[in-house]
Amino acid sequence: MEEGAERCRSFCTILFHDERMKVLMLKMMNKLESDETKNKLRVWVKAQEDLKEELLKNLRTIRDYNASPGECMRLEDRFVEPVIVKSKPEIEVESQVHEMMKPSRKYNLKKINEDRVTMRELFKRKESWLQYVTTVVMFGSPGIGKSMLCKKLVVDWAEEDDKIKNRFDFVILLKCRNLNHISTETTLRDIFLNEHPSLKEVVDDLMENAFRVLLVLDALDEMKHRLDFNDVCKSPNKANKIGSIIAGLLQGTLLSQGTVLVTTRLVDLQWIQDVDFDPISTCMVEIVGFSHEKTEEFFEKFYRNEDKAKQVLQYLSENEVLSSLCFNPVFCWITATCLTRYFNAIDRSTCDPAPKTMTELFSLYLHLHLKHHGGESITSSPDSLLSLCRLAFHGVKARKILFSDEDLKREGITKSPALQRFLQRILPRALASRWDKGKGITKPSPAFLSEVFLKTEVESVCHYEFFHLTVQEFFAALYFLLPECEESVDEVLMESTNRGDDRFQIVQRFLSGLFANKPRDILERHFKLSTKPMKQIHSWLKEYNHKDPNCFHCVYELQNVEFTKTMMEDVEFEKLTKNMTSPLDCTVVVYALQTANKPIDSWRVDLGPMDRMQRMKILTSAFPLCEKFV
């Protein structure tokens, strides 16, 4: 049927030439004419239409985090398909790499010409004579576009896109974070009905005949229940732990005839080793972000103005620090949001210099939220900002991105309406829902931040998270510049460097950048900033510049000419810069060289296997300072 009418006619002709098959075909056709079958088909069609309506209502439109109340846009008008490559996750290595620490866009797109697949090819048979792909494991870093791609797949099916409509009769979306607050044993059947009440009349049939059903398990890494492969659930109607039920879906003991798409971050991927995946029917893919072409498409869709998009893209092409992160859709959105006011599409000019450092960009990001979304709650109550920043710092310290209601109370975060409006922009990323054990259905409720409530006899449990890990790290750095902060910055600087601990590297960059003039000018429109940690930061940069390459990134963020000259006087330059792993490393090193006007007798650089031309182009501006360059 998927190959078209002509193939169907040919197939039926072949069957009817066999007398025994002809009899079976006629019996089947007569059965299809029975009242029972017609009634069953009507029920299926009704459930299908209700499910589509439900999905489109929830997913067809999206709301920008800086949008006015009631303002939204079609998913189609904003969605840009990221680059997807066939890949097997490198569990031990990749899981620890922060996006800002990855070498370059080309590093992330290194396999683009080898095994690239499109969204529509995820479930495609590898050969026409092989069985269909029944398991797709999709992984990628935070903000890279996994959940957005899942939404687009679901909406395409609901809008009857031919490619996915012909493959699946039902598409069921299950957000794993919604399972976190189910504390008792339950069944797969109840989970489905809780998420999609429209399936009530057909759910039992779907469990038994799932070969044209697609189940999307979005964000498996956000599920707190431990996957239990020692007690795998085998019956959709048997009550079991959530970890056993999800393990059953992954192992194929549940919905064995169906297709499962699971998305996860590059953390805690050890469970893959516990699943016996069939290599023929399994497809493992990694979302590696936007190519240059996709980045251009994003900005054109965001601004809906070709001239303005071109101006912004031209500016980014000249700024390696900002452009290096625009392979990530979340950073694209933050950058596009913050740069829009600096470019005028009519006279092709900027009203004042646009941000050039990450700290400037994120300071502007915070300023826009304070200005338009509940900033009065921060300016009138400094303790609110202190509590939020303290929460962010302690989260980074503990490598923690999900926070409970108890965490918020412990840090003294209040729930005033004004603060709620502001925080809904800073921590927007979870859906509110209630698990009602009596009714067995979920009803979304407009709740503070990203909380999901479970009412039990003992307590209510909530979860929150920052918009992105880097936003959390920015607030963690801001914590030490608030006059009310009583903690020492030494743990972030000296102690972490001595331990070889990389969890504070981005915080260190933001800490340095928050002493630059422009970020301080932006933020001091809303609240006062202390200068107390400045001496410690300067001392740390001078003491550790000979052994920590991250110091060059901090110096770039600092944008202080006199200090850069002082720091570069005794730096062991050749040893420190021998292995620069990315064009971004080259950019910050060249900035330090040029700012200090430091001559070099001999400079040896290992350009590595990738980005050689790009690195050479960046390093060229430092050549006049070099007597010899190797």
Side-chain angles (χ1 to χ4, degrees), residues 370-385:
L370 289 170
K371 183 178 179 182
H372 299 294
H373 303 293
E376 69 278 4
S377 65
I378 296 295
T379 53
S380 63
S381 176
D383 287 346
S384 297
L385 181 60

Side-chain angles (χ1 to χ4, degrees), residues 321 357-360 509 512-513 516 553-559:
V321 173
T357 69
M358 289 301 299
T359 313
E360 289 178 23
R509 296 182 192 182
S512 303
H553 291 270
C554 295
V555 166
Y556 179 84
E557 294 292 324
L558 187 60
Q559 294 286 305

Side-chain angles (χ1 to χ4, degrees), residues 93-110 139-142 144 265-266 286-289 320-321 324-325 327-328 505-506 509 553 581-585 610-611 615:
V93 180
E94 292 287 339
S95 61
Q96 301 301 319
V97 182
H98 190 294
E99 294 95 319
M100 290 182 75
M101 308 305 295
K102 284 186 176 180
S104 70
R105 182 195 302 260
K106 285 188 179 178
Y107 169 85
N108 291 281
L109 303 181
K110 63 180 182 285
F139 52 94
S141 56
I144 208 71
R265 294 180 183 179
L266 285 165
E286 178 181 3
I287 296 185
V288 293
E320 182 65 34
V321 173
S324 64
L325 290 172
F327 70 87
N328 186 303
Q505 284 191 321
I506 307 305
R509 296 182 192 182
H553 291 270
T581 59
S582 72
L584 184 55
D585 288 341
M610 295 181 295
D611 306 311
R615 296 188 200 195

Side-chain angles (χ1 to χ4, degrees), residues 241-253:
K241 297 174 294 184
I242 291 294
S244 297
I245 292 173
I246 301 302
L249 290 168
L250 296 171
Q251 196 70 274
T253 58

Side-chain angles (χ1 to χ4, degrees), residues 3-18:
E3 299 296 333
E6 188 59 40
R7 287 288 183 94
C8 283
R9 280 192 290 271
S10 300
F11 181 65
C12 288
T13 301
I14 293 168
L15 289 179
F16 273 101
H17 275 86
D18 184 299

Side-chain angles (χ1 to χ4, degrees), residues 517-568:
N517 291 331
K518 192 168 182 179
R520 293 183 74 88
D521 290 344
I522 292 171
L523 295 178
E524 286 186 333
R525 301 175 197 176
H526 304 283
F527 47 80
K528 291 182 179 179
L529 292 176
S530 168
T531 58
K532 187 168 56 176
M534 185 165 64
K535 288 184 179 179
Q536 291 164 282
I537 292 169
H538 284 187
S539 298
W540 170 71
L541 287 171
K542 288 178 180 178
E543 182 177 348
Y544 288 90
N545 60 30
H546 64 284
K547 59 182 178 182
D548 188 354
N550 196 47
C551 288
F552 283 106
H553 291 270
C554 295
V555 166
Y556 179 84
E557 294 292 324
L558 187 60
Q559 294 286 305
N560 185 318
V561 174
E562 292 304 316
F563 176 79
T564 304
K565 289 179 178 178
T566 303
M567 192 199 83
M568 292 293 286

Side-chain angles (χ1 to χ4, degrees), residues 354-518:
K356 61 184 293 187
T357 69
M358 289 301 299
T359 313
E360 289 178 23
L361 186 75
F362 278 77
S363 297
L364 187 59
Y365 169 76
L366 176 56
H367 161 70
L368 293 174
H369 285 304
L370 289 170
K371 183 178 179 182
H372 299 294
H373 303 293
E376 69 278 4
S377 65
I378 296 295
T379 53
S380 63
S381 176
D383 287 346
S384 297
L385 181 60
L386 179 73
S387 300
L388 183 64
C389 292
R390 186 167 54 222
L391 177 78
F393 168 65
H394 290 160
V396 174
K397 182 178 176 180
R399 298 189 187 275
K400 183 175 181 178
I401 62 171
L402 289 176
F403 303 96
S404 69
D405 200 32
E406 287 302 313
D407 293 327
L408 269 64
K409 289 178 183 176
R410 191 181 304 115
E411 301 299 346
I413 296 178
T414 61
K415 290 190 178 183
S416 68
L419 183 59
Q420 288 185 29
R421 287 195 300 273
F422 169 69
L423 293 182
Q424 279 178 324
R425 300 315 197 283
I426 301 300
L427 301 118
R429 282 204 58 203
L431 299 177
S433 61
R434 288 189 182 85
W435 178 274
D436 187 321
K437 210 165 65 172
K439 296 180 181 179
I441 57 175
T442 288
K443 293 184 178 179
S445 61
F448 171 51
L449 311 183
S450 49
E451 60 193 16
V452 184
F453 286 101
L454 166 68
K455 290 192 174 182
T456 65
E457 295 180 5
V458 183
E459 60 183 352
S460 293
V461 185
C462 315
H463 269 122
Y464 313 87
E465 74 177 297
F466 286 84
F467 177 50
H468 190 271
L469 172 60
T470 314
V471 175
Q472 180 179 337
E473 289 166 322
F474 177 77
F475 276 89
L478 185 59
Y479 173 54
F480 294 97
L481 275 80
L482 298 178
E484 301 83 7
C485 177
E486 297 178 354
E487 292 191 54
S488 171
V489 78
D490 285 343
E491 181 177 7
V492 176
L493 301 176
M494 285 73 164
E495 291 179 22
S496 66
T497 306
N498 288 335
R499 293 194 306 264
D501 186 349
D502 65 350
R503 80 186 73 185
F504 291 122
Q505 284 191 321
I506 307 305
V507 178
Q508 291 167 355
R509 296 182 192 182
F510 283 136
L511 258 175
S512 303
L514 285 168
F515 284 100
N517 291 331
K518 192 168 182 179

